[in-house]
Amino acid sequence: MEFIEITEILIKLVVGLSILNVWLINRDKSTPWRGGNASSMQEEFAAYGLSKNAMMIVGTLKCLFAVLILISIYYKAVEYTGAIGIALLMLGAIVMHFKINDPIKKSVPAAIFLLLSLAIIFI
C-alpha cells in the first residue's frame, strides 16, 4: 500500500469516527465548539433557530454519510456520496455559526472536516 492510500484511509477513519463520536456519544455533552452558549446538541440547534426535528434529520444524515465514508475504505463506490454529503453539511454548520455571530474558533472543527471531506473527494 502506498503513502497516498494510507493517508486517504486515515482521513476517512478520522472523519467517519469523529462524526459518529459527536452525534452518537457526545451529543448531550458540552464542548467549546457548540454554537451560542449551548451545552448540548439540542440547545445548539435551538440557538441556530432550528427545531429538534431538524437536529434529527441533520444527525441522521451526518451519521449516514460518516458510515458511507467508513464503508468506502473497502467499497469505493460510496466514497463521493459520503464525502460530498459531509462537506455540504459542514458548510451548513459554518454558515450557522456565522448566522448567530459565533467567534471564528467555533467554526474550526466544521472547517477542518469540510477540508478533510474535500481531500477525500480529490485524492
Side-chain angles (χ1 to χ4, degrees):
M1 204 179 280
E2 62 183 76
F3 177 76
I4 291 178
E5 290 175 281
I6 293 169
T7 302
E8 184 177 21
I9 289 169
L10 289 174
I11 291 170
K12 288 178 179 183
L13 287 170
V14 167
V15 172
L17 294 175
S18 295
I19 298 294
L20 292 174
N21 175 58
V22 167
W23 280 90
L24 301 178
I25 297 171
N26 292 315
R27 181 181 59 233
D28 296 324
K29 295 181 181 166
S30 182
T31 76
W33 316 112
R34 295 223 181 270
N37 296 314
S39 60
S40 70
M41 193 68 71
Q42 190 166 347
E43 288 178 16
E44 183 173 10
F45 270 70
Y48 298 140
L50 300 172
S51 68
K52 184 176 181 181
N53 285 337
M55 180 191 80
M56 299 302 287
I57 292 166
V58 168
T60 300
L61 288 172
K62 281 190 178 180
C63 289
L64 171 68
F65 294 138
V67 168
L68 288 177
I69 286 173
L70 293 171
I71 290 170
S72 76
I73 293 170
Y74 296 102
Y75 185 67
K76 289 280 252 189
V78 297
E79 178 178 76
Y80 292 124
T81 302
I84 290 169
I86 291 293
L88 290 172
L89 289 168
M90 291 303 145
L91 188 59
I94 293 167
V95 168
M96 287 293 140
H97 282 293
F98 281 108
K99 175 186 171 192
I100 63 169
N101 297 314
D102 271 341
I104 296 287
K105 81 169 201 168
K106 290 196 176 199
S107 296
V108 168
I112 290 170
F113 287 111
L114 170 59
L115 292 174
L116 290 174
S117 296
L118 294 173
I120 292 168
I121 293 166
F122 293 109
I123 289 182

